[in-house]
Amino acid sequence: MQSPAEIVPHSGGVIGLSWLMIALPLLGAAFLLLGGRRTNRWGHLVGVVMSLAAFAVAAVSFVELLGRAPEQRRLAVALYEFIPGVANLGLLIDPLSISFALLITGVGSLIHIYSIGYMSHDVDRRRFFAYLNLFVAAMLLLVLSDNYLGLFMGWEGVGLASYLLIGFWQFKPSAAVAAKKAFVVNRVGDFGLLIAMFMIWSTFGTFAFKDLAQTVPTAGASDTTMTAIGLLLLMGACGKSAQLPLQSWLLDAMEGPTPVSALIHAATMVTAGVYLVVRSGLFFEAAPTAQLVVTIVGVATLLAGAIIGCAKDDIKKGLAGSTMSQIGYMMLAAGIGPVGYAFAIAHLITHGFFKANMFLGAGSVMHGMNDEVDMRRYGGLFPVMKVTAITFIIGYLAIIGFPLLSGYFTKDGIIETAMHHNPVLGWLAVLGAGLTGFYMSRMVFMTFFGKRRWADDAHPHESPAVMTVPLIVLSIGSIFLGAFLVLDNRFMKFLVPAVGGPAPDEMPAFHPFSTPGLATLALVAAGAAFAWFRYGAAEVPQLAPRGSFLTTFARRDLYGDALNEALFMRPGQWLTRIAVFFDNRGVDGVVNGLAAGIGGTSGRLRRVQTGYVRSYALSILFGAAVVVGALLYVGNM
């Protein structure tokens, strides 16, 4: 087993300018927000150019990194002293961070281009592109920072950008509520990450990845401390990546414009949790209990997301359940350790392509169907939207693991690795693949095939080239990228300097006819066949049947919202009412009572002040008599 390479200071070359990856989209966001309405006509072009420029910097940095020996591919780029004695603001350019940077800027730029057409009639298109740029900049800061403090700044920036974009159409109450829900649920995860950072600082005295790599193995921290840090980091990852039990925000986030859904699910927000777990592998490898919990959470979420996806008629929410499930596969692999890291990130990258492809394809369908999202009102769209249909079907084949497409190599790699690690987890992952075959086939059959169930005012048509060209590019990646990354362990070898892993002669070979692989293909085929029987060959009713208890269970997101309401919201409401009662009757009662007592006493004493001199003289005489009497009494004792 190889250890990660040492992080060395960078000197010279384009990598020294890698900060431009963050600065360019951040500058674009600032320019568009401060420029105001004067930039409305061409502001979207600025947003696209800034994202493409960041991609160019990432691509050149990647080429420069490839030109170095593997043991020299972890480069620290110092920027400035951020908090004296605590952390410097710097970047870490290594195989892990540059892989994310290419995905974020590459897929993100395609989503920017697509948005030109999708948002063409929106009066706030310029502001939308500003928020997209901000999202890209925040995610890049998250993955490129060389310490946890910079990572947390990007982490919170992603949360802010997601809030702004999910609630972009603020005139829709559902969008405003969804944005607030995403923001609040993510704060729960952020609290876990923040406490983990406090523990890291108090235990090891640093936030820097370079220093932690040297300190953690020799610090002698207790197993309890390492487990606590690992579980708290996982809590943060669950919030951002919508893993159980912090998944409730993800499906509601579909209220934002469709390009936002693609950006969140493919290139930015939900991938942040996987990045955090892999980057923090040092802690998880020292805490087997925390590692086991990561795999359990991953398997539970991949099954939960698949079950939810089986019952959704909203095309975007069906894809959201799919994302939840696929991120679960990545979490499962990340919890296995260095052998699983490469498959987790490889699947994350291929998923970025085919999931962006399908989300943007769903947006193209909505564009031609008057923003209708109910698949029961689609049907027969293939002949009138051929480019959208073909590219969407390619993404569909990739995600179900059709042989030789991207998902076949990356997801099957995760299943096989999980099977060697723990057969129970492996077979559960195989079951998840079968469910994926069903709900994704259901989506394709209900949308593009069968009887036309359109509304009378629907006039479906193909989207303009500015929307279909990104779909074509993404579909090409959905076909070929998986084989390129997995065969010959190309990506695993590339990633070893950043996260460690097996020696070259110990790396697993891809086995297309292994028992888990054949079982996966058989279950996927069975799921697709059942979907055809139910939704392809049979007539699909425009109104959803009531269904069984399990169907209702899935339609209501496994009662996740009801559980949160029972466990947290209602007790929180009662706690608030009790606090208000105590404040009103207790704290305010004491204060107001004291004030009333003083006021009443002063009101009575005020009557002594009559304003008459004779009254004052009589009072003085009375007082003097009392004093004299007291003196005489004392003197006679």
Side-chain angles (χ1 to χ4, degrees):
M1 188 71 67
Q2 294 179 282
S3 300
E6 182 183 355
I7 299 174
V8 297
H10 174 264
S11 59
V14 178
I15 288 180
L17 299 175
S18 54
W19 56 272
L20 287 172
M21 281 188 269
I22 303 169
L24 287 169
L26 189 61
L27 177 64
F31 180 80
L32 293 176
L33 291 174
L34 297 176
R37 296 179 180 178
R38 290 169 293 183
T39 65
N40 277 352
R41 286 186 302 173
W42 41 266
H44 56 284
L45 299 178
V46 173
V48 171
V49 168
M50 289 301 185
S51 184
L52 286 171
F55 173 69
V57 176
V60 175
S61 299
F62 171 68
V63 172
E64 183 178 327
L65 200 67
L66 284 180
R68 294 173 172 267
E71 64 275 7
Q72 298 176 353
R73 289 179 181 171
R74 302 197 78 193
L75 304 174
V77 180
L79 297 181
Y80 68 91
E81 192 174 29
F82 181 44
I83 301 178
V86 177
N88 295 329
L89 188 61
L91 306 180
L92 173 59
I93 307 300
D94 69 354
L96 179 61
S97 63
I98 203 66
S99 297
F100 271 85
L102 287 170
L103 175 69
I104 294 163
T105 57
V107 174
S109 294
L110 291 172
I111 294 171
H112 275 70
I113 295 170
Y114 174 96
S115 300
I116 294 175
Y118 190 87
M119 301 294 289
S120 60
H121 300 297
D122 197 293
V123 295
D124 287 324
R125 180 169 64 166
R126 179 259 315 164
R127 182 166 58 89
F128 179 79
F129 275 84
Y131 293 162
L132 287 185
N133 272 195
L134 179 63
F135 211 152
V136 169
M139 188 66 190
L140 287 169
L141 175 61
L142 191 160
V143 300
L144 293 175
S145 292
D146 67 350
N147 62 78
Y148 280 104
L149 209 55
L151 181 151
F152 189 74
M153 292 171 60
W155 193 271
E156 293 303 301
V158 167
L160 170 63
S162 66
Y163 171 78
L164 294 172
L165 284 168
I166 293 170
F168 182 75
W169 288 326
Q170 301 171 13
F171 55 85
K172 294 171 57 180
S174 57
V177 170
K180 288 187 288 185
K181 185 176 182 180
F183 194 81
V184 170
V185 173
N186 271 271
R187 297 293 73 73
V188 177
D190 295 355
F191 178 76
L193 175 56
L194 199 58
I195 299 300
M197 289 171 56
F198 292 158
M199 292 188 68
I200 290 170
W201 173 260
S202 62
T203 305
F204 306 106
T206 182
F207 289 124
F209 300 141
K210 178 181 179 181
D211 297 336
L212 288 170
Q214 300 169 353
T215 306
V216 171
T218 60
S222 67
D223 292 342
T224 302
T225 299
M226 299 303 288
T227 300
I229 291 174
L231 292 177
L232 288 166
L233 289 171
L234 175 61
M235 182 177 172
C238 286
K240 275 290 182 288
S241 291
Q243 300 293 281
L244 293 173
L246 300 178
Q247 83 293 348
S248 60
W249 65 270
L250 188 66
L251 275 74
D252 290 336
M254 298 302 98
E255 291 293 336
T258 302
V260 175
S261 304
L263 193 62
I264 288 176
H265 288 247
T268 53
M269 189 165 178
V270 296
T271 64
V274 181
Y275 172 81
L276 178 66
V277 172
V278 174
R279 180 61 84 187
S280 305
L282 192 67
F283 297 104
F284 288 100
E285 290 161 30
T289 301
Q291 248 185 341
L292 176 62
V293 174
V294 173
T295 59
I296 293 172
V297 167
V299 165
T301 307
L302 75 87
L303 291 173
I307 292 170
I308 289 172
C310 289
K312 291 297 180 182
D313 293 328
D314 183 318
I315 187 170
K316 290 176 65 178
K317 291 190 175 183
L319 289 172
S322 169
T323 297
M324 180 179 159
S325 180
Q326 297 305 307
I327 299 293
Y329 276 101
M330 300 170 207
M331 282 292 187
L332 168 62
I336 293 173
V339 177
Y341 294 157
F343 286 113
I345 304 303
H347 190 55
L348 186 150
I349 293 172
T350 57
H351 175 266
F353 277 79
F354 53 69
K355 185 51 63 68
N357 180 13
M358 287 187 288
F359 260 114
L360 298 184
S364 182
V365 171
M366 293 166 58
H367 181 78
M369 292 289 289
N370 297 334
D371 289 329
E372 177 63 69
V373 295
D374 189 347
M375 293 183 292
R376 293 183 179 277
R377 297 183 179 276
Y378 290 166
L381 289 176
F382 188 97
V384 293
M385 306 182 72
K386 289 184 178 178
V387 175
T388 297
I390 291 171
T391 53
F392 191 98
I393 290 170
I394 289 173
Y396 148 71
L397 293 174
I399 197 172
I400 68 172
F402 190 82
L404 303 183
L405 270 70
S406 287
Y408 172 70
F409 294 97
T410 56
K411 188 165 72 174
D412 281 26
I414 291 175
I415 291 173
E416 194 164 330
T417 304
M419 197 70 73
H420 289 301
H421 178 73
N422 186 317
V424 174
L425 298 177
W427 285 113
L428 289 174
V430 171
L431 175 61
L435 292 173
T436 304
F438 170 74
Y439 71 77
M440 288 306 306
S441 299
R442 172 181 182 269
M443 185 178 296
V444 169
F445 297 148
M446 290 179 70
T447 302
F448 297 108
F449 300 98
K451 182 180 177 181
R452 298 181 176 185
R453 304 179 298 276
W454 312 337
D456 294 336
D457 60 345
H459 303 285
H461 56 277
E462 189 58 89
S463 299
V466 72
M467 295 171 65
T468 56
V469 169
L471 295 179
I472 294 170
V473 175
L474 290 166
S475 65
I476 293 173
S478 302
I479 296 172
F480 300 109
L481 193 56
F484 176 78
L485 294 176
V486 173
L487 294 182
D488 193 34
N489 290 305
R490 186 176 285 108
F491 188 67
M492 185 174 289
K493 293 174 183 175
F494 175 68
L495 209 59
V496 162
V499 299
D505 57 343
E506 299 174 346
M507 290 183 178
F510 183 77
H511 301 293
F513 300 111
S514 65
T515 301
L518 293 175
T520 300
L521 285 176
L523 273 180
V524 168
F530 184 58
W532 170 255
F533 175 75
R534 288 290 305 274
Y535 302 99
E539 185 173 344
V540 177
Q542 291 194 24
L543 294 177
R546 182 177 180 181
S548 64
F549 167 76
L550 185 59
T551 302
T552 304
F553 187 56
R555 284 176 182 163
R556 297 188 179 181
D557 304 340
L558 312 186
Y559 293 104
D561 288 339
L563 184 64
N564 288 335
E565 182 177 330
L567 293 179
F568 301 108
M569 192 192 83
R570 294 197 180 281
Q573 288 177 333
W574 279 108
L575 182 62
T576 301
R577 292 190 183 106
I578 292 171
V580 170
F581 177 83
F582 177 75
D583 183 61
N584 290 338
R585 300 298 179 87
V587 177
D588 288 353
V590 171
V591 173
N592 293 337
L594 181 62
I598 293 174
T601 303
S602 63
R604 292 178 177 85
L605 291 175
R606 182 180 59 189
R607 297 172 184 173
V608 177
Q609 304 296 325
T610 63
Y612 296 111
V613 174
R614 61 179 178 271
S615 298
Y616 298 152
L618 182 61
S619 298
I620 294 172
L621 178 63
F622 177 76
V626 171
V627 171
V628 171
L631 290 174
L632 290 174
Y633 176 77
V634 173
N636 293 328
M637 289 180 66

